[in-house]
Amino acid sequence: MVTSTNVSMNVNNINIEHNIYQNDENKETPQVNEIRAMLRSIGDGEINISAYDTAWVALVKKMDGDHGPQFPSSINWIIQNQLSDGSWGDEAFFLVHDRMINTLACVIALKSWNIHKDKWEKGLSFIRENLWRLEDNELDDWMLGGFEITFPQLLDMAIDLGLNVPCDDPALQAIFAKRDLKLARFPKDLLHDEPTTLLFSIEGMKGLDWKRLLKLQCPDGSIMSCLAPTAYALMKTGDKKCLEFLDGVINKFKGGVPCIYPVDLYEHLWVVDRLMRLGISRYFTSEITECLEYVFRHWSDKGLCFTRDNSVSDIDDTAMGFRLLRLHGYHVSPCVFKHFEKDGEFYCFAGEANQSVTAMYSLYRASQVAFPDEDDLQWSETYSREFLVDRRAANNLKDKWLIPKDLPGEIGYALDLPWRASLPRIETRMYLEQYGGSGDVWIAKVLYRMFLISNDLLLEAAKADFGSFQRLCRLELHGLQEWCNRKNLAVSSKSVLQAYFLAAASIFEPNRATERLGWARTAVLADAVSSHLRRSTSVDSTRESFIAELSGHRCNNTQRGAKDATESSLLHALHEHISLLAFDDASASNLCQTWRQWLMAWTSQDCEGNAALLIVRTVEMCSGRHPCLEEPDLSRLEHLTSSICRKLGKYSPQQDGESILEDSSHQVDLEMKDLAQCVLQSDGGGTVSQVARQTFLHVVKSFYYVDHCSPETIDSHISMVLFQDVI
């Protein structure tokens, strides 16, 4: 850990923090190495075992006709995993529907083979004692998928086995009614003719045409990549592909089976999302590339499912895939979302009874990464935003597929700070509070957990990384403030703090301290010069004197004294700043030219656009990238950056009326989409690197952020990002 006792702070040297932390950046922690090992071994998905699905597998009789179970190891798993209260299910999170369906299935499996009477009797007692809990209407938001189909079937099986289950209980009668209603909505022919979500629950249905159903079998032999339906199909048909699929999964999980498998695409996508939001993705660039390459190989014009072999795509995986692929430069079309729209509404799966909050959240996040002329994304963004706003207003943000630590916080951040105004370190600081690690639970036909996606190790690594970032920021900020004081810059401490915060929240990597401090000092100097020009009694004359000072071949050779002490201090600070950043005469000349252009274009009402360019060029110059100024892509990026930042904050309704404000906002929206395309979808041509393109986006987003947020919100973010320790 770096402290003030082992750092000799030289505020004249902008590279000092870079030198200090270079070794720390290269020295990877054991946590990072462990996460990398996990990512490199990523396969078909790390998911926990489902007692319910294992029970269905345990019910399969030997295929050769002999008496006994085909999969005795599944029986053993059930025997070894009963909870102390007699139930089976998720031990850490009690959801009565989860405990009831897991327990009843395991009771039936043990009773069917007439073994371990003590265990199934204890399980049956748990069911009788907790049956009344099923009447709790507040649990509807976390209803297990297909529960109204599969649980009644288990009750019928229990009765056939002679088990004493009170089927006339009002709670059970309500479940039977829901089953009848749901099945009435779907014609039997639809079930047999094409893959639908009903296939997830076929073990709860009777009178099926198996010859037709097996034509809908996945290439891996499963029924919708679900274990219980596949076991049921094996019971009814003896299909060899079903048997091979179950054999493979049982061997992998040593007797027990998960509720769905594989979950490869879901895991590849969501772990990348978590690494990015936690702010540690830079440690795993090659692993992330491999994940996204895998996803892109399975991308289709109909979208994505949670696994490669399942043809029933959903909007949740599709939206996450679209956003991550587009952010990483892959060409994906928004037309894919048309498959999830009907009558002006978006759904996750065809025919779903109620919409998912997290699916609409994924759609909203994806829709914001829009390019010009993508009208479909405009509507999906509007729709998903209105959906989330309404749910938030009604305090109804429970999701039917996920129970995370702080979903209202995640959605609130996305609604209050759209993508174009969200700075990386702000998002990470917020997500460190919202991410639940291993505590997050998913909902399917049972509760399940994704061990790589929801992982305490990710959270620990992210917290440690952010803590190091904060310590570095405090050192850098202290040096910046001392530099301002020593140079007698007439800039408020609050302005200095905000300038540094915007730079650090955007370019946060320890080994990019030179760029970060170059940004911050440039912003402070531009603010100081602007303030001086606004106070001047002769703006043109003062501006010309600054330009004249920057017109020599070497910027640090001043040919004349300044007219007053303030101007002299500014010129000295400016000369020193340029000399410090420049690594040769050519770069010094380019920086001088950039400042001259900014001064020539400066007006008291309009200096933002060119100040943005000033920051971008400075960052690129001190990074050593310095692309060719004649490059067409660079010209386009500079034009958009200048134009957007000039418009931001220029108009207000009180001054110019609603129509001017709306027109300006519309133009900014169009240009932001154009900028996003220029940055995210370069085809490798030209000399402008992807890192340089991202600099333009970072700077523009920082201006958009300041325009979008109230001063109070900015102050709150500064406090959280720079000064409040992560616990």
Side-chain angles (χ1 to χ4, degrees), residues 338-359:
K338 290 181 179 179
H339 297 286
F340 307 100
E341 182 184 5
K342 183 178 180 180
D343 300 328
E345 295 188 353
F346 289 89
Y347 56 86
C348 191
F349 289 108
E352 66 181 358
N354 60 311
Q355 293 165 305
S356 160
V357 172
T358 53

Side-chain angles (χ1 to χ4, degrees), residues 37 47 70 75 147 214 228 233 314 327 338 356 362 382-383 391 434 547 567 582 628 696:
I47 184 172
Q70 175 69 26
I75 295 284
F147 184 84
L214 284 180
D314 64 84
L327 286 174
K338 290 181 179 179
S356 160
S362 292
T382 300
Y383 177 86
R391 282 294 192 97
Q434 299 156 358
I547 294 171
E567 188 171 329
C628 175
F696 285 93

Side-chain angles (χ1 to χ4, degrees), residues 224 233 242 275 303 315 322 340 348 372 391 463 589 667:
M224 295 292 284
C242 288
L275 291 171
I315 204 170
F322 176 88
F340 307 100
C348 191
R391 282 294 192 97
K463 286 183 175 180
S589 177
Q667 288 300 317

Side-chain angles (χ1 to χ4, degrees), residues 605 649-661:
Q605 290 80 31
K650 187 174 181 180
Y651 301 110
S652 66
Q654 293 82 5
Q655 293 175 343
D656 300 282
E658 295 280 347
S659 60
I660 295 178
L661 180 68

Side-chain angles (χ1 to χ4, degrees), residues 352-371:
E352 66 181 358
N354 60 311
Q355 293 165 305
S356 160
V357 172
T358 53
M360 291 301 105
Y361 173 48
S362 292
L363 179 62
Y364 177 60
R365 294 176 71 203
S367 300
Q368 294 180 74
V369 191
F371 296 161

